[in-house]
Amino acid sequence: LDGGKPTVALVYQAVQALYHDPDPAGKERASVWLGELQRSMYAWEMADQLLQLKQDVESCYFAAQTMKMKIQMSFFELPPETHIALRDSLLSHIQSLKDLSPIIVTQLALAIADLALQMASWKGCVHTLIEKYSNDVSSMTFLIEILTVLPEEVHSRSLRIGANRRTEIIEDLAYYSSTVVTLLMTCVEKSGSNEKMLIKVFRCLGSWFNLGVLDSNFMANNQLLMVLFQVLQRDETSTNLHEAASDCVCSALYAIENVDTHMPLALQLFQGVLTLETAYHMAVAREDLDKVLNYCRIFTELCETFLETTVRSPGQGMGDLRTLELLLICAGHPQYEVVEISFNFWYRLGENLYKTNDPALHGIFRPYIQRLLHGLARHCQLDPDHEGIPEDTDDFGEFRMRVSDLVKDVIFLVGSMECFSQLYSTLKEGNPPWEVTEAVLFIMAAIAKSVDPENNPTLTEVLEQVVLLPETVHIAVRYTSIELVGEMSEVVDRNPRFLDPVLNYLMKGLREKTLASVAAKAIHNICSVCRDHMAQHFQGLLDIARALDSFALTTEAAVGLLKGTALVLARLPLEKIAECLSDLCAVQVMALKKLLSQDPRNGKAADPTVWLDRLAVIFRHTNPIVENGQTHPCQKVIQEIWPVLSETLNTHQADNRIVERCCRCLRFAVRCVGKGSASLLQPLVTQMVSVYQVYPHSCFLYLGSILVDEYGMEEGCRQGLLDMLQALCMPTFQLLEQTNGLRNHPDTVDDLFRLATRFVQRSPITLLSSGIIVHIIQCAIAATTLDHRDANCSVMKFVRDLIHTGVSNDHEDDFDLRKQLIGQAMGQHGQQLVTQLMHTCCFCLPPYTLPDVAEVLWEIMVFDRPTFCRWLESALKGLPKETSGGAVTVTHKQLTDFHKQVTR
């Protein structure tokens, strides 16, 4: 757009190319050019002209969407005196384009709504719109569209209208809400049973319910509510209308969540929904799954809304337990998608009853939960003609995982032991088909851990029987029985006589292609829980680990087996650990050496990540108890392995993924032996720094933070670690100072401040007396605006901990010096930091980050209250007091009140 304002013809041509150019490169060029146009000042005029020309749907859609985007994002570009002209022009466009296409009407309606919310001089917009258009039948469609999107946009994150303006708007909308409902009712009466109009009316009503501004007394006696339930009771209602009506009822139920303050409407909705049971059965008979799902959504929303009433007064008034009956009817539907809708309610009910902990109350709800569990067990059955193991990644597999979670959450109401015994007796006494057996074992596996394993004959009997299952049973039954055994590792630990038969059973599974991974997971579980008993089987584990790749294991299962092996290894006598660890690592080290000796195929070296991840898991979980003065048994092994890791790192230094895995492996090696890795410190830091100059992978900063954590307290290491920090900071600052550098490299920000924070914790004086600290603080101040969860958290923690070192008098001799150094830093950066934080809270960060900011401000205040009060006052004075739409964002009184609340 360097050539200034384009012609409308040119813009039109670009839109044509965007939709119709056969050449993808042409499409792409048009898209980039139009994007640039949308960001420029010319977009306002171009969009307006295209809408006037009305040449075709595509150009009008582009123009309407541009208008909406500009009003949402760039409203400040327009001088206030143009606002009225813009409003009038948008209203005339929506009127002239109303029959061209509904998506254009929606975009223009959004533009008008977003304008109304930001334009403070447009008072009572709902009233003016209804007055202007409600008498003209042909304008009804777009009038209702505007009235639908207006309440939806009030809480839009992209419109930064501020709390004052939002409150004013919500009060305004509440004032006109009954006018809107009356208009909608008139619409229904005029248009008879015109389905399209009814859908629009229900969508609009739902939108006003969602905003929570409808008067519940007025609504309770309103015809529109009757119409809504009539539509849902009628068998001939079409799918689309049924969905719109269901959405609307759900919104209404959600809006009256505080039942006590909405009594009359609550009663109407409660009674209305109970009348839909017959309609539900009709939909089941007609096999109309869409409607069945809608009814189940409504029944669930009803139960959610009246949850507290039901727990408070079960069986009385609106605590009527027929609401739960409705959900159990849905649980009886053959399609599992129906019952799944209600899971969140059952989970919340369980949570509620768990908190009240009243046995009599539990007794009332127990039979409902029993019936639910019965239904869920049936839904978990695989098809009788299913072949192979249960799939856990498809929709049905995910459903079964959710069932397993739900069962764990509500089982306390029924009693784990009773339930477990009941399930087992169905297998013991009957001879059910395989798919029933498998589903029962699946539910047993879900609750096995919550059954008390102390001298429990049922549990031991189950374990005894399961490991005797012949290999001829269906493979899915074997698969789930192996999962069950893994979940019963506590029982094995209490009854070590079972260890041999259980391990034999799991070894059979490990040798079979489809059962190998689930068997590996079960062995890992048993290693974790029965570490001491497993020590005698260590040789067997080592044999498996040596031949790991001869089993058909997923990456995750293989790593899990090594984890189990390492956990048991750590329980061996110290003198055996070194030799066994060396054995365990040998396979992976040999593989890495082999990869390094190969000629790279087509210029690329083979991928070592599998071996690095396996070494990492071994180091991570080999944590023997070492007394003071004893040499760590893993020290020698790690020193021997270092050259291979170092060479692997060098070979793959350009590949972020592999370097990350190398660093992860080194991190666990350093953590494993702690101070025992001192001999690696020099070569490791040298290599990190030299690679980082060329390839600034953020994982080097993370690894640096681990080294500072382990060695920062050692007097002799501090200068070396500071040199490392300075060497790593130079390329880091270069990277972050590029355009959008902070936004494009959140991992680097996260890891840099993790490293700086470790320094503050381990050796604050070293860092505070260095020349680099000024640059790190400046970088932190710039990075506070970054809307990225981990990076932001890391920055705030650094600033908080930094100031805290000058606050916490831990009676160390260096406290006075620390306090003095922090005083200097705050004198230099305090005002800028406070101003930036206030700006950031208002304009950059999502609400969940505010507690972290509060921690920082608190530390500054504790450090020097009088100065902080001045800094805060100055920061608040600098905030903008008005929006470009003329709304007052903050009054003087609000600012002084806020200042008082924060500083008192």
Side-chain angles (χ1 to χ4, degrees):
L1 295 176
D2 301 338
K5 184 166 80 175
T7 61
V8 181
L10 185 61
V11 178
Y12 180 72
Q13 212 181 322
V15 175
Q16 286 301 306
L18 179 66
Y19 286 100
H20 303 294
D21 193 328
D23 172 23
K27 269 187 167 42
E28 182 53 32
R29 273 201 306 277
S31 170
V32 171
W33 188 84
L34 288 168
E36 218 178 295
L37 171 72
Q38 282 182 320
R39 285 188 295 279
S40 77
M41 276 294 287
Y42 307 125
W44 296 101
E45 192 184 334
M46 293 297 123
D48 193 46
Q49 291 184 11
L50 282 174
L51 290 168
Q52 251 163 353
L53 285 172
K54 219 159 76 164
Q55 274 181 294
D56 51 28
V57 172
E58 286 125 346
S59 62
C60 287
Y61 177 70
F62 169 76
Q65 194 199 22
T66 302
M67 268 304 183
K68 179 203 71 177
M69 236 174 73
K70 292 300 280 185
I71 291 173
Q72 269 186 0
M73 304 300 188
S74 316
F75 187 56
F76 59 86
E77 291 177 354
L78 293 182
E81 60 273 13
T82 58
H83 293 173
I84 291 176
L86 174 64
R87 175 191 70 189
D88 296 346
S89 132
L90 284 172
L91 290 172
S92 81
H93 290 318
I94 200 167
Q95 189 154 24
S96 73
L97 295 166
K98 61 178 182 283
D99 302 323
L100 189 56
S101 150
I103 58 172
I104 294 173
V105 172
T106 301
Q107 291 298 315
L108 286 171
L110 282 163
I112 292 164
D114 290 342
L115 176 66
L117 295 175
Q118 294 181 90
M119 183 175 155
S121 58
W122 185 2
K123 301 275 183 239
C125 64
V126 172
H127 183 66
T128 51
L129 288 168
I130 290 179
E131 265 200 336
K132 187 167 178 177
Y133 297 113
S134 61
N135 296 324
D136 170 21
V137 179
S138 67
S139 305
M140 238 10 177
T141 46
F142 73 79
L143 174 60
I144 291 183
E145 188 65 34
I146 298 172
L147 293 174
T148 304
V149 297
L150 187 64
E152 291 170 350
E153 289 295 289
V154 171
H155 290 288
S156 155
R157 285 282 299 159
S158 45
L159 293 184
R160 296 300 184 102
I161 56 179
N164 287 352
R165 174 71 180 150
R166 192 169 284 115
T167 310
E168 186 187 329
I169 289 162
I170 291 173
E171 284 170 4
D172 198 43
L173 294 183
Y175 183 73
Y176 290 113
S177 60
S178 39
T179 319
V180 174
V181 175
T182 308
L183 169 78
L184 294 177
M185 194 54 224
T186 315
C187 250
V188 173
E189 285 161 355
K190 278 190 187 158
S191 63
S193 53
N194 175 332
E195 183 183 309
K196 276 191 172 154
M197 189 44 102
L198 271 178
I199 291 176
K200 281 189 190 307
V201 165
F202 291 158
R203 267 196 55 221
C204 186
L205 182 61
S207 172
W208 286 75
F209 268 127
N210 285 336
L211 188 61
V213 293
L214 293 179
D215 178 275
S216 49
N217 291 341
F218 175 75
M219 281 315 298
N221 306 308
N222 195 277
Q223 265 315 111
L224 210 44
L225 215 52
M226 309 265 289
V227 176
L228 199 52
F229 283 110
Q230 280 163 3
V231 165
L232 288 168
Q233 284 156 353
R234 274 211 311 272
D235 180 34
E236 57 278 9
T237 298
S238 73
T239 307
N240 289 346
L241 180 57
H242 197 273
E243 186 174 4
S246 302
D247 287 344
C248 187
V249 171
C250 288
S251 295
L253 286 164
Y254 186 74
I256 59 157
E257 197 123 52
N258 287 340
V259 177
D260 302 338
T261 55
H262 298 286
M263 262 328 188
L265 179 58
L267 193 60
Q268 289 294 335
L269 289 169
F270 185 84
Q271 289 166 343
V273 174
L274 287 180
T275 63
L276 299 177
E277 189 183 335
T278 327
Y280 167 84
H281 289 300
M282 194 67 198
V284 173
R286 294 213 185 274
E287 296 189 1
D288 187 339
L289 186 61
D290 287 329
K291 285 189 181 175
V292 167
L293 291 167
N294 285 335
Y295 288 124
C296 187
R297 274 196 306 141
I298 294 174
F299 298 157
T300 303
E301 210 50 79
L302 176 78
C303 287
E304 295 243 22
T305 293
F306 291 98
L307 171 63
E308 280 170 23
T309 318
T310 313
V311 173
R312 201 170 52 219
S313 49
Q316 294 156 24
M318 288 188 271
D320 194 328
L321 294 171
R322 275 189 304 167
T323 55
L324 297 189
E325 289 291 346
L326 289 175
L327 282 196
L328 289 173
I329 292 172
C330 292
H333 191 280
Q335 305 278 105
Y336 71 84
E337 294 87 348
V338 180
V339 69
E340 195 169 18
I341 291 174
S342 65
F343 276 18
N344 189 51
F345 165 74
W346 293 112
Y347 167 72
R348 277 185 58 201
L349 176 67
E351 199 178 32
N352 235 302
L353 292 170
Y354 188 76
K355 280 182 189 151
T356 47
N357 196 10
D358 167 358
L361 195 59
H362 290 189
I364 295 176
F365 289 96
R366 182 169 298 122
Y368 292 93
I369 299 294
Q370 275 168 330
R371 286 162 61 194
L372 174 70
L373 290 175
H374 189 78
L376 291 176
R378 208 184 52 255
H379 279 297
C380 283
Q381 290 173 18
L382 298 161
D383 277 335
D385 54 4
H386 175 92
E387 289 177 10
I389 61 172
E391 280 292 329
D392 50 1
T393 47
D394 60 2
D395 287 347
F396 184 55
E398 282 182 18
F399 166 74
R400 291 195 357 151
M401 289 320 295
R402 289 193 65 197
V403 168
S404 174
D405 290 342
L406 179 62
V407 169
K408 288 185 177 78
D409 283 328
V410 298
I411 193 67
F412 73 91
L413 281 163
V414 180
S416 317
M417 191 54 224
E418 292 100 294
C419 188
F420 198 81
S421 307
Q422 256 178 343
L423 288 164
Y424 177 51
S425 64
T426 57
L427 298 182
K428 197 162 108 179
E429 285 149 24
N431 183 13
W434 76 264
E435 69 277 10
V436 175
T437 303
E438 192 278 335
V440 168
L441 291 170
F442 178 77
I443 301 288
M444 286 169 76
I447 57 178
K449 272 198 177 127
S450 59
V451 181
D452 181 8
E454 282 306 329
N455 42 26
N456 189 324
T458 310
L459 286 177
T460 47
E461 190 186 330
V462 168
L463 205 48
E464 232 165 348
Q465 292 305 311
V466 167
V467 298
L468 293 175
L469 274 174
E471 292 182 26
T472 49
V473 297
H474 193 293
I475 191 106
V477 174
R478 290 181 62 203
Y479 180 93
T480 305
S481 72
I482 290 173
E483 279 196 307
L484 174 59
V485 171
E487 291 297 305
M488 294 179 75
S489 40
E490 294 282 352
V491 184
V492 180
D493 193 43
R494 300 296 195 315
N495 304 276
R497 65 178 191 283
F498 286 122
L499 195 55
D500 285 358
V502 161
L503 288 174
N504 289 335
Y505 184 65
L506 295 178
M507 279 308 297
K508 274 186 206 157
L510 193 63
R511 292 190 193 98
E512 283 191 44
K513 194 172 172 192
T514 46
L515 299 177
S517 289
V518 72
K521 192 177 165 194
I523 294 172
H524 162 206
N525 274 355
I526 288 189
C527 289
S528 306
V529 175
C530 318
R531 286 169 80 169
D532 294 321
H533 297 307
M534 282 299 291
Q536 67 203 40
H537 291 276
F538 184 75
Q539 194 50 50
L541 289 171
L542 198 54
D543 295 340
I544 295 175
R546 282 196 184 123
L548 208 49
D549 290 309
S550 65
F551 303 106
L553 297 171
T554 61
T555 319
E556 191 188 0
V559 166
L561 257 178
L562 288 174
K563 174 182 169 181
T565 309
L567 288 169
V568 176
L569 167 64
R571 291 293 165 94
L572 298 183
L574 276 189
E575 65 278 3
K576 288 196 101 166
I577 290 181
E579 175 198 348
C580 292
L581 177 66
S582 190
D583 255 0
L584 190 54
C585 295
V587 182
Q588 342 300 329
V589 176
M590 291 302 296
L592 286 173
K593 282 184 173 160
K594 192 175 162 197
L595 291 185
L596 289 169
S597 65
Q598 287 170 2
D599 282 333
R601 279 194 299 265
N602 23 345
K604 271 190 85 166
D607 186 349
T609 49
V610 172
W611 313 104
L612 291 170
D613 287 354
R614 289 181 185 180
L615 278 176
V617 80
I618 295 169
F619 295 144
R620 184 178 192 171
H621 297 285
T622 307
N623 36 21
I625 295 156
V626 184
E627 303 295 327
N628 264 343
Q630 288 179 309
T631 306
H632 198 292
C634 307
Q635 192 174 320
K636 183 166 159 290
V637 183
I638 284 171
Q639 277 166 349
E640 286 164 5
I641 292 177
W642 159 248
V644 184
L645 292 178
S646 174
E647 199 183 334
T648 303
L649 180 56
N650 254 344
T651 307
H652 297 279
Q653 56 182 294
D655 186 326
N656 183 53
R657 189 178 59 94
I658 297 176
V659 172
E660 217 162 67
R661 298 309 230 297
C662 274
C663 284
R664 191 168 168 272
C665 187
L666 286 163
R667 160 189 158 195
F668 289 124
V670 171
R671 286 288 195 215
C672 172
V673 293
K675 305 279 179 291
S677 59
S679 60
L680 298 187
L681 199 53
Q682 191 63 51
L684 173 57
V685 168
T686 310
Q687 186 172 2
M688 280 163 57
V689 168
S690 82
V691 174
Y692 193 78
Q693 306 297 322
V694 193
Y695 301 106
H697 303 299
S698 77
C699 52
F700 286 127
L701 300 171
Y702 186 90
L703 187 53
S705 74
I706 302 291
L707 295 175
V708 173
D709 195 38
E710 290 289 345
Y711 293 101
M713 308 285 273
E714 306 285 305
E715 202 46 65
C717 300
R718 284 176 167 170
Q719 188 52 46
L721 290 170
L722 182 66
D723 295 342
M724 170 192 78
L725 173 70
Q726 289 178 314
L728 293 173
C729 274
M730 289 314 152
T732 305
F733 292 154
Q734 279 170 353
L735 187 69
L736 298 180
E737 279 161 9
Q738 295 167 2
T739 319
N740 291 335
L742 292 164
R743 211 174 51 232
N744 297 341
H745 304 284
D747 297 353
T748 301
V749 176
D750 184 10
D751 293 331
L752 170 69
F753 287 102
R754 215 180 270 256
L755 168 58
T757 303
R758 287 290 190 207
F759 237 113
V760 169
Q761 292 164 348
R762 294 282 174 253
S763 183
I765 302 280
T766 314
L767 180 63
L768 286 164
S769 328
S770 72
I772 195 85
I773 184 68
V774 177
H775 303 288
I776 293 178
I777 293 176
Q778 282 295 343
C779 183
I781 292 175
T784 54
T785 57
L786 189 60
D787 174 8
H788 180 282
R789 192 179 284 260
D790 297 339
N792 198 284
C793 189
S794 203
V795 172
M796 294 301 173
K797 185 166 173 36
F798 163 71
V799 182
R800 184 210 158 273
D801 285 10
L802 181 74
I803 300 164
H804 189 71
T805 49
V807 172
S808 65
N809 187 357
D810 40 23
H811 307 294
E812 298 273 333
D813 348 339
D814 62 0
F815 176 64
D816 292 333
L817 178 54
R818 287 199 322 243
K819 193 169 176 178
Q820 181 198 335
L821 288 166
I822 293 293
Q824 286 169 2
M826 291 309 290
Q828 231 174 329
H829 310 284
Q831 178 68 73
Q832 188 193 356
L833 174 63
V834 174
T835 303
Q836 178 83 309
L837 287 175
M838 289 317 299
H839 178 84
T840 295
C841 289
C842 293
F843 303 110
C844 309
L845 296 184
Y848 68 77
T849 56
L850 297 187
D852 294 345
V853 181
E855 292 267 339
V856 174
L857 292 171
W858 171 257
E859 291 295 337
I860 302 174
M861 186 158 68
V862 174
F863 183 73
D864 180 349
R865 188 179 289 262
T867 314
F868 172 70
C869 292
R870 286 204 308 279
W871 286 341
L872 182 62
E873 184 181 349
S874 157
L876 294 174
K877 280 182 175 160
L879 291 173
K881 311 291 185 291
E882 236 186 53
T883 61
S884 43
V888 175
T889 40
V890 61
T891 63
H892 182 68
K893 182 174 183 319
Q894 284 174 317
L895 285 178
T896 48
D897 287 352
F898 177 77
H899 189 280
K900 263 190 208 128
Q901 278 180 302
V902 173
T903 54
R904 69 157 179 241

